Every structure is written in C-alpha cells, then in structure tokens.
Amino acid sequence: MISLKRSIAIVSCAGALASCGGTGPAPSSDPHPDPLAPPPTVSDAAPSDAAVAVPPMVPDPVPVVPDLLVDGSRQLDAARARKLVADGRALADDPANLGAAVQLFLAAAALDSLNPHAYWELGWAYQRLFSWNDAVGAWSRLRALDPMYPGLSRHAPILQMRRDRAAAAETLADGDPLIPEEEPRAGTPIRIAAVGDIQLGRSWPEDNPILPPDNAAQMFNRVGDWLRAADVTFGNLETVLADSGESTKCRRGARNCYAFRAPTAYARTLRNVGFDLLSVNNNHTGDFGSYGRQATVEALEGAGLIHSGPTGGVASWETNGLRVALIAFSTGAGPYRIQDLASARARVVDAERNHDLVIVSFHGGAEGAGATHIPRSTELAYGEDRGDVYAFSRAMVDAGADLVLGHGPHVLRGMEIYRGRLIAYSLGNFAAWHGFNLRGPLGLSVVLNVTMAINGVVTAAEIHPVFLEEPGTPTPDPAGRGIEIVRRLSADDLGDALFDQHGRYRRSRKDGTTEGRKDDGNA
C-alpha cells in the first residue's frame, strides 16, 4: 500500500530528498523505461561540503527533428552522453560528489540534447543541492522534450511546491511557520484512511487470557476493504504488543484497572488487514513499562508498520512521491504533550520544514458516553488534565499540520475544515475484544477517508459508518448511525455539518466550500 523510500527535505539536508536522490530510469535505447522500476538506492546524508558550487543551467538546446537520420558522429555523441549519465548517477550516490555529478549531466545534455535522462538526473541532482530554480528549469526542458517521461507528471508539481516553500521560508525567522496554502495544488493526491482506538484483547494475566482467535485476523474481515482502499491507513493502538512482562499499572487481580497486552504476532495481523501507520502514544502505551514500549516498537517495525509515540518520535516516510510525517501527541508525561502548545508547535514547524505533509494525531479529551461534545476548554477525565483539544488542533494547523486525527474519548466527535485542513476531534472506538464498554455511542464508529492535494488541502472526504458487534468486532452499519452522529456534532459544535447525508464531503472548486449539502435536509 505504501513504500518506505528515501527521505526528502525542503530547507535542510537532514533526511534529505528521498523521492529524488539523483536517481531515475536507467539510460537505455528505450526513451520510456518502465515507470514502476525502482530507482537505485542513494544516501540520505547531507553533502559534506556545504559550499558546493552549483553549475548554471546550459543554454536551451537547439531543436532537432527526432526522425532525422544522424551521421556517425551524432551516434557517437549519443553513446558518450549515455555513458556520462551513467557515470553521473554513480557519482550522485555520494552526496559529496553531487557537484561533479551535475557537471557530467550537463556535459551529457551538451553532447546529446535529445537525451531525456540527462535532464531527469540533472533535476534530481539540483534538488539535492537545494538549487530549486535550476531543478525546475531542467525538468521544464525535459517536459518540452518528452512530456510523457515516466515519473515527471508526479514529481514535477512536488518540485515546484518545494521551490515555492523554500523561497517562502527564506523570508521567515527561525521557528516561524509557513502560511498554509488554502487552494489545492495540481498533482497526484494522497488518500488517507483513519480509525480510532484499537484494543486487541488481553494475554495478561497469563492464567486468564482473553484473546481473539486466529491472531485477531478475523476481527477486521468485515471492514478490510475500507482499510485497504487508501494509500496510507492510520489507527491508534491501545494495546501493548509483548509476549511476556508484568503490568506496571495494575496488580494481578485488581478490579477496575485495565492493562492491555497482546502477542507480538498481532503486529503482522494489523499489517495484513491494511494498517500502515499507528499512534502508540496514549494512556495504555505504558501499561507494561519500558519493556512493553520497546517490545511494541520492535513488533511494529518487524511487521513493517510505521509508528509514532514516546519511543518512536516523528515517523517519516514517502507516499506518491510526497515526504510525509506523523507526530503523535498525548496527555501523559512524555515529550509529546498536547498541554504544551509551545513545544508542540515547534515540533510541527520543524517537521513541516522537512516534509511535504505533516499528520498530527492526539489522544486527549474527556472520556465516555457523555463526552461527545467539544467544550473549547480544558477537559478532565478521572481527575486528570486531558487538554484543550480544540485549541491544540487549530494551533497545529496554524503551525503547519495538514491533517489532525483525534482519539481518546471513546466516542465520535465532530469534524471541521480549518484553513483547508481536516480536523477529526475524535474517531471513537474502532475495535476491541472485551474490556471496552460498547453501549450506546461507545459502540459506534467510522472509517474516515481523506483525499488531500499535494500541499495538504483536503479535496474530498468520506465517512463509512461502523458499529462494534460484541465483543468488539468492527462491522459496517447499514443504518449509518456514525454519519448521523458526526454530522450532528459537527453542526452543533463547529457550525457546519460538513458531510452530506451519505457521509461525503467534496470541496467546491469555486470557493472552497462543501458541495452537495444543501439538498439533503437540515443538519
């Protein structure tokens, strides 16, 4: 569903330029190599010499009729150009040699102005040197030469966006966020599915395990198509994955104390049913202490799952050529607390400077059937400060977040579009195996699907209604109760039902408002 590739940066080489890396289709006699062929691996390290001279672009090539028969000298130049491109690609594997690689690509273009690979590689190399205008120029010439060159239509709009953001960042003081664009940019969109709390049963105490059969695979069969339909699928994991260990939270035999631990094999199940991305920053992350945290991280990484939390920090990956980050916040004592707005803003601003898109998730707000509304003030649960989720969510968008996903109250809450970005204040319970109260609104949920432009502006969204069938299996809800709840709460708390009666949101091309809501009755 997603591919974990190399990193991309906008104004810093730390974790830099994944989708580019100075790579491209291998030179061959075929001007349209396989677009799905993976490029060679390159280093993520920054160039060791920050003063690398960036050679200027070569003059526009003289137009040549492609069908014109060339003499032996022309054929020899073309062969030499192909060799220069191959040699340049090998040099570009070492960031310290990027300047020399650029010289070879320029020489190749001078020898053979019809070699598209020279301009493709030149564009990537200039990006890694942060010479954005030259990179755009190289790919503009490539587009004139071969507008159907594999990968160009996907990566060129992203390059133009990075160039614009780099220029904007130069005008800002350190720590200041970029102003979010509120109009969608052209380019290949990204589709993200998101669900709320996932609880996978209990293998502790060992003498009384309560676990779903078949390593929990059957729990998600009924909603698997929705989970696998997106480019990236997110959930909040409220279960420690460890094969041993004692709870540091609950003593054996304690009542009204919940510590969730499931076998590490369940990580592979989550991956197989469609999940890619998980928050492990919530009030159950520490149920089995530091050992449980580390065991969970190792299980998730072993299954190929991306994660963010107290031990995971900022998750970073690439999808559709876009460099994406997830930062998971909670209300505990760790460094990613929603109550500390200044620190949270700084983390998002930093991630936004080095990624194309930033997703923020948070575990906060009051809990229970009576916690469906957003009070726009600090909330309490069991005497604990659970944050002001309204202030936090909007502050994160102001700082550069492109999607905010809330969970923690165990019920659905309203959603809104703020500055072109979607905020879901609580996605409710999504899956459980005993241990969760599923009565009333606690047993109703949704699968949220969001379509975002390359700059983070949401262009479409849909909510698929789900109910949790005892003991907690997510099941499509033909009654559509989740849609009704989200629409009502969005209208009551945020002033706009957002979705139509079928659970769909479409951005109007004219003014950015929702299409299709006026004909479906009152919110």
Side-chain angles (χ1 to χ4, degrees):
M1 181 176 298
I2 63 169
S3 57
L4 304 180
K5 301 181 183 176
R6 298 165 303 285
S7 50
I8 284 186
I10 293 175
V11 294
S12 167
C13 247
L17 281 180
S19 61
C20 53
T23 63
S28 68
S29 59
D30 179 8
H32 298 285
D34 179 9
L36 299 181
T41 302
V42 301
S43 168
D44 288 335
S48 59
D49 182 4
V52 172
V54 180
M57 286 297 298
V58 295
D60 288 328
V62 177
V64 178
V65 179
D67 293 334
L68 188 64
L69 293 176
V70 295
D71 58 17
S73 175
R74 173 72 179 84
Q75 294 178 22
L76 182 60
D77 285 347
R80 288 173 176 170
R82 290 194 295 271
K83 177 66 165 55
L84 288 171
V85 170
D87 291 345
R89 183 184 290 111
L91 280 179
D93 286 348
D94 183 351
N97 294 329
L98 279 172
V102 166
Q103 295 283 10
L104 293 181
F105 298 142
L106 288 171
L111 274 173
D112 182 5
S113 61
L114 294 181
N115 186 325
H117 307 307
Y119 295 107
W120 177 250
E121 299 294 347
L122 191 58
W124 284 127
Y126 275 133
Q127 288 184 68
R128 296 181 69 197
L129 292 167
F130 310 114
S131 184
W132 302 106
N133 288 330
D134 282 333
V136 170
W139 281 3
S140 295
R141 294 175 189 182
L142 173 58
R143 180 182 288 108
L145 183 65
D146 184 359
M148 301 303 294
Y149 191 87
L152 184 62
S153 63
R154 168 169 290 184
H155 292 287
I158 299 173
L159 166 60
Q160 292 168 1
M161 178 178 71
R162 290 174 182 152
R163 178 196 60 182
D164 295 345
R165 287 185 173 182
E170 290 180 356
T171 68
L172 300 174
D174 289 344
D176 286 349
L178 294 170
I179 298 174
E181 296 178 344
E182 298 188 34
E183 292 295 322
R185 284 185 178 245
T188 303
I190 182 172
R191 298 170 301 158
I192 297 175
V195 302
D197 300 329
I198 303 168
Q199 186 265 98
L200 299 172
R202 288 177 284 179
S203 58
W204 182 89
E206 293 86 349
D207 58 355
N208 186 31
I210 304 174
L211 293 170
D214 194 24
N215 284 343
Q218 298 178 25
M219 286 183 68
F220 303 97
N221 283 348
R222 301 171 186 175
V223 292
D225 288 346
W226 289 340
L227 299 178
R228 289 185 287 267
D231 297 311
V232 181
T233 297
F234 166 89
N236 173 53
L237 180 61
E238 290 234 70
T239 306
V240 170
L241 299 181
D243 296 319
S244 62
E246 288 291 314
S247 174
T248 57
K249 174 183 175 182
C250 304
R251 61 178 177 81
R252 288 178 179 263
R255 294 185 177 183
N256 298 321
C257 186
Y258 300 95
F260 301 122
R261 193 192 84 195
T264 55
Y266 285 22
R268 181 64 58 182
T269 295
L270 291 171
R271 181 69 170 142
N272 290 341
V273 300
F275 286 101
D276 306 287
L277 180 64
L278 295 169
S279 165
V280 288
N281 196 356
N282 53 64
N283 57 316
H284 288 285
T285 301
D287 283 359
F288 290 82
S290 59
Y291 165 78
R293 290 190 183 94
Q294 188 59 35
T296 301
V297 166
E298 291 176 0
L300 296 178
E301 292 180 350
L305 286 160
I306 312 165
H307 58 87
S308 174
T311 57
V314 178
S316 187
W317 74 98
E318 184 183 304
T319 297
N320 292 353
L322 293 163
R323 186 69 172 154
V324 190
L326 168 71
I327 313 177
F329 293 88
S330 187
T331 59
Y336 298 90
R337 302 179 68 246
I338 69 174
Q339 296 96 328
D340 188 348
L341 283 183
S343 175
R345 283 192 193 99
R347 293 180 187 278
V348 170
V349 168
D350 182 65
E352 198 264 353
R353 294 294 178 90
N354 294 284
H355 295 82
D356 301 307
L357 298 173
V358 177
I359 301 171
V360 164
S361 83
F362 70 85
H363 199 72
E367 294 186 16
T372 57
H373 288 285
I374 304 164
R376 303 195 185 190
S377 61
T378 297
E379 299 182 61
L380 301 176
Y382 308 106
E384 299 176 356
D385 178 349
R386 295 293 181 89
D388 181 341
V389 300
Y390 180 81
F392 171 82
S393 298
R394 289 195 161 205
M396 294 306 97
V397 173
D398 292 338
D402 298 293
L403 177 64
V404 180
L405 303 170
H407 38 83
H410 296 291
V411 289
L412 291 168
R413 284 185 167 185
M415 303 184 192
E416 68 170 336
I417 304 294
Y418 173 65
R419 304 190 76 170
R421 276 69 181 168
L422 190 141
I423 300 173
Y425 284 94
S426 177
L427 292 167
N429 292 324
F430 179 67
W433 196 258
H434 301 278
F436 274 10
N437 177 359
L438 302 179
R439 292 189 294 271
L442 296 162
L444 298 175
S445 189
V446 296
V447 177
L448 170 66
N449 276 274
V450 183
T451 301
M452 300 160 62
I454 63 171
N455 61 347
V457 175
V458 59
T459 58
E462 186 169 6
I463 45 177
H464 301 287
V466 170
F467 74 95
L468 275 64
E469 185 176 89
E470 292 286 354
T473 300
T475 304
D477 182 8
R481 289 169 288 181
I483 296 174
E484 296 174 5
I485 291 172
V486 170
R487 294 186 71 245
R488 174 174 52 80
L489 292 173
S490 300
D492 289 349
D493 295 347
L494 304 163
D496 190 339
L498 192 62
F499 298 92
D500 67 18
Q501 61 185 354
H502 305 292
R504 301 187 186 101
Y505 162 85
R506 296 292 182 273
R507 186 182 189 281
S508 167
R509 292 185 178 181
K510 271 190 168 183
D511 56 11
T513 59
T514 306
E515 290 182 342
R517 288 199 311 248
K518 295 181 179 178
D519 60 352
D520 62 2
N522 295 327

